Each structure stands twice: as structure tokens, then as C-alpha cells.
Amino acid sequence: MAESTSRSAGARVGETLQDFWATRPARPRGKIAGVAEALGRRYGVDPVLLRILFVVGAFYGGAGLAVYLLGWLLLPKETPEGRRPTPVFTALLVIGSLFLLMFWVMQLQGLVGLSIAFLGLYLLHRNYRDRPKATAAEPQGAVPVTEKTWVYPGAKAPVQPLTDTGLDVRQNPPSWDPLAAAPFAWDLPEPQESEPEPEPERPRRRWITLLTLGIAAFAGGITISAGTPLGFTFALALGIIGAGLVVGAFLHGGRGLIGAAIPVAGLAMVFAVAPVGSGPWGEIDESPETPAQLAPEYRAAVGDVQLNLEGMALSTGQEARTRVSVDIGNISVYVPRTADVTVDCAAGQGLTNCLGRERNGDRIRNHVVDTGEDGPGGGTIVLDLRAGTGNVEVFRD
């Protein structure tokens, strides 16, 4: 029973995918790509909403940009002669862009974004596959061939198309001319007054916006409390908002999420370029006097860290060890004059000056061993200093 159910589900999925490919829309003329416009026309969705989803998805591991390029490549182009495949030069350019983009997309965030995008397209087609395609409107003033044309007695044949039965000569004036004052116009049809039907008001589904923002805030709070980087937190919130926009497109709601998606996407992009963790913000200034007072780790998301170890008393064979990490900011450490110091200095962008050995640039690292002015012996200090963007400096007084 379960096997037959799984087979039927798989068959339905396969039929949906085949129908999606067979009825894929053509990209309209007058636009460079027109992917959002084509999908909007096909499924009756606002193209502006689709464009926003593509932009939001681009910050989510590049998934939105990858799906847009795939649409550009696979959807045919609308031309005066009919549907035409994507030109060879354009196809090669898009394929090259997709190849370079895969190095960015093939990460956790990008794979999750691609999964959400493909699932959204699948549900969109599954629910709206039968929406009628737009047809060309009949020219105004055209008279159908089946319509009877009325003329008054003795009038010449009209220029409108005639029916197979010929002319039907009206003997009595129409209702709009009871006094027969205009017999030359008796061939005009009877007036029909029809009031346009008011469009039904769609219910406002504000709960989609509120529920989506609540889920995004809850998920963001969990990731922050778990110590994940802020870049991942905002990317996760952006993905949840994007899913809410997809659901809102089906249920005709959730437009309030558009205003929330823009700042969240901007923050996700900022923290993707300059990663900032979930550590504290602000200055850290510590002066431990014994190895027991030295914390095993000092961490700051944004801010400077200053560690003064000059007054630390170290006995022979005693070791003091710590790690200092800053995402955006500077690290300054002052060590005793006679201590044996082993230090690893690293900076993503900035400068390292560790006990007189200076380097600057991108992704720089220094490993320095310095025994002080009295040579080897005495206590040892081991430092691991890392800054994402900023300077790392170690001084000996």
C-alpha cells in the first residue's frame, strides 16, 4: 500500500514537471531577459513581487541569481515569428555566468536557497497551471459575421458583413425612436445598458506578514543565542521572509514582507562582506596580574581589545595562554620584558606588528617566537590573536 502511494506521488510530481516544461512561458519582447514578466503572465502573479524575490534570493547564497539565469537560458524568447530559443551567444554568456556562480551557490545557504526556489516554482505551477493564457483582444468596432444587420425599407445595403440569410428589414421603429423621427438609423441595434460587475474584494491576510516576521525573529534569536555569526542569522531571516512571500503570492497576501525584506537583505549583504560574529560589541581592556586571572579567550564582534600583561608575575616553567579574536576592530597586547613569548598574529584585512615583525595586506599571518632580553628561561606566554578587519599588535616594553 505504501509502495503504491509513493509511486503515485512520484508519478504526480513527474507529470507536474513535464507539464511545467511543456507549457513554459516565453520571455516577452522589449526586455533584456524578462524572466519575471514571463512567469507573472503565465501564472497571474505580479511581476514586481517576482523581481523582489529574485533580488532577495540573490543575497541568499546567490540562489536567486542562479534561478534567474536558468530562466533566461531555458525559457524561449517571444518574437514576431513565434517562440525562439535563446540565441547561442547569449546562452554561452549565461552558461559561463552560471559556472562562475556555482562556486558561490554550492554552499549551505545557496543550496537551501535553491531548494526553496525550486519548491516555490513547483507549487506555483501545481496550483496555477490551468490559468488561461492571455489572448489577443478583438479590434474595437468589428461586427461578428453571425450578427443580423437591420436597415429601414429602401435603404442601400450596409457595409457591414451580412449573414447567410441576407437582410432583415425592420418595419417598425426601434424602442429608442417611438416617433419614427430617425428612420435612417433604424438599423442601429437596441441599446443595452449593463453595469460593470464590481470586482470582489480579496480578503486581507495580514496574518501571513505577522506570522512570517514572528518566525524569522524567533529563528534569529535562536541562532544568536547559539553563537552563530550575524551574517548567517540575517541570511536565515531573509530566507524565511522569502518563503513567506512565496506563500503570500499563492494566498494573495504578505505584501508587508517586501518592506521588511529590503533592510534584512542589506544587512545580510553587509555582514557577508564583513563577517561579524555574535560576540559583544564595545571595548575590552584587561590587565591580569597572574595566569589564573588571564581568561582563556577574549572575543568581540565590533570594538578594540587591549590586553596589558606587563605586570604579570610568571615563575620559571609557568605558562599563560589565551586567545583573542575580533571581527571588526584592533587588538593590542603588552607583554613583560623578560617573558618567553610565542604568538600567532592573523588578520583578514589590515596590519600585523608582532614584536617588531610587521606585515600588511589581505589574509596575513605572523608566527613569532621571542625569548626576551634575558634569553630563554622563565615563564612563557602563548598568544593566538586574530582580527577579521583591523590591526593586530604585540609590544614589549
Side-chain angles (χ1 to χ4, degrees):
M1 182 68 179
E3 183 178 357
S4 61
T5 303
S6 62
R7 287 182 178 177
S8 61
R12 288 196 299 269
V13 172
E15 291 175 358
T16 303
L17 295 178
Q18 291 178 0
D19 186 68
F20 173 81
W21 178 257
T23 62
R24 65 192 187 279
R27 295 179 288 110
R29 291 179 294 169
K31 295 183 178 294
I32 298 177
V35 176
E37 187 76 21
L39 295 175
R41 289 183 180 180
R42 172 64 177 86
Y43 300 108
V45 181
D46 190 350
V48 176
L49 177 59
L50 295 177
R51 293 188 185 100
I52 292 175
L53 289 176
F54 280 125
V55 173
V56 171
F59 295 109
Y60 201 71
L65 183 57
V67 174
Y68 193 87
L69 290 175
L70 283 173
W72 194 352
L73 178 65
L74 300 178
L75 296 182
K77 183 69 174 178
E78 185 181 74
T79 64
E81 294 80 16
R83 296 158 61 100
R84 294 290 184 269
T86 304
V88 176
F89 177 78
T90 304
L92 293 177
L93 184 62
V94 173
I95 291 173
S97 302
L98 280 171
F99 179 78
L100 296 176
L101 189 62
M102 284 299 105
F103 291 97
W104 183 24
V105 176
M106 297 305 293
Q107 299 178 6
L108 178 60
Q109 296 180 9
L111 294 176
V112 171
L114 284 177
S115 301
I116 294 174
F118 290 142
L119 178 61
L121 286 173
Y122 173 81
L123 294 176
L124 185 66
H125 183 78
R126 186 176 180 83
N127 290 276
Y128 296 99
R129 69 168 76 181
D130 296 328
R131 286 201 168 182
K133 298 179 181 179
T135 57
E138 295 184 1
Q140 296 182 355
V143 180
V145 295
T146 59
E147 182 182 345
K148 294 183 178 181
T149 305
W150 298 88
V151 297
Y152 63 90
K156 295 182 179 180
V159 296
Q160 291 90 344
L162 303 179
T163 62
D164 296 336
T165 59
L167 299 178
D168 289 336
V169 180
R170 170 173 279 178
Q171 302 296 333
N172 299 317
S175 60
W176 55 267
D177 189 18
L179 299 178
F184 57 86
W186 287 6
D187 58 321
L188 296 178
E190 296 283 355
Q192 297 181 356
E193 297 182 359
S194 60
E195 296 182 358
E197 297 182 359
E199 295 184 0
E201 295 185 359
R202 294 176 177 174
R204 294 184 178 181
R205 295 184 171 90
R206 295 179 179 176
W207 61 268
I208 299 176
T209 300
L210 298 177
L211 180 61
T212 303
L213 293 179
I215 295 175
F218 180 74
I222 291 178
T223 56
I224 290 176
S225 62
T228 57
L230 289 179
F232 177 82
T233 299
F234 283 107
L236 177 62
L238 190 61
I240 294 174
I241 293 175
L245 285 170
V246 173
V247 174
F250 295 143
L251 301 180
H252 304 290
R255 284 186 173 269
L257 295 174
I258 298 175
I262 296 175
V264 174
L267 291 172
M269 181 179 64
V270 169
F271 290 125
V273 176
V276 178
S278 57
W281 291 43
E283 309 295 328
I284 297 178
D285 191 351
E286 298 288 340
S287 300
E289 297 181 354
T290 63
Q293 296 177 355
L294 182 65
E297 183 177 9
Y298 298 91
R299 178 170 178 76
V302 177
D304 297 336
V305 177
Q306 181 171 303
L307 201 58
N308 190 352
L309 308 179
E310 290 179 336
M312 179 175 291
L314 292 171
S315 59
T316 302
Q318 194 173 18
E319 181 182 277
R321 181 186 296 268
T322 190
R323 173 188 174 93
V324 182
S325 59
V326 174
D327 291 316
I328 300 177
N330 302 317
I331 300 175
S332 300
V333 181
Y334 300 86
V335 298
R337 183 177 300 176
T338 59
D340 297 343
V341 179
T342 301
V343 56
D344 278 318
C345 299
Q349 289 182 333
L351 174 144
T352 61
N353 182 10
C354 297
L355 298 175
R357 298 186 184 181
E358 182 175 335
R359 294 184 62 186
N360 59 68
D362 298 335
R363 299 181 181 180
I364 52 179
R365 184 169 184 174
N366 268 342
H367 178 76
V368 179
V369 178
D370 190 290
T371 58
E373 59 182 17
D374 60 344
T380 303
I381 296 177
V382 180
L383 302 173
D384 185 4
L385 312 177
R386 301 178 183 275
T389 301
N391 300 330
V392 179
E393 297 176 298
V394 180
F395 304 99
R396 191 192 291 272
D397 190 8

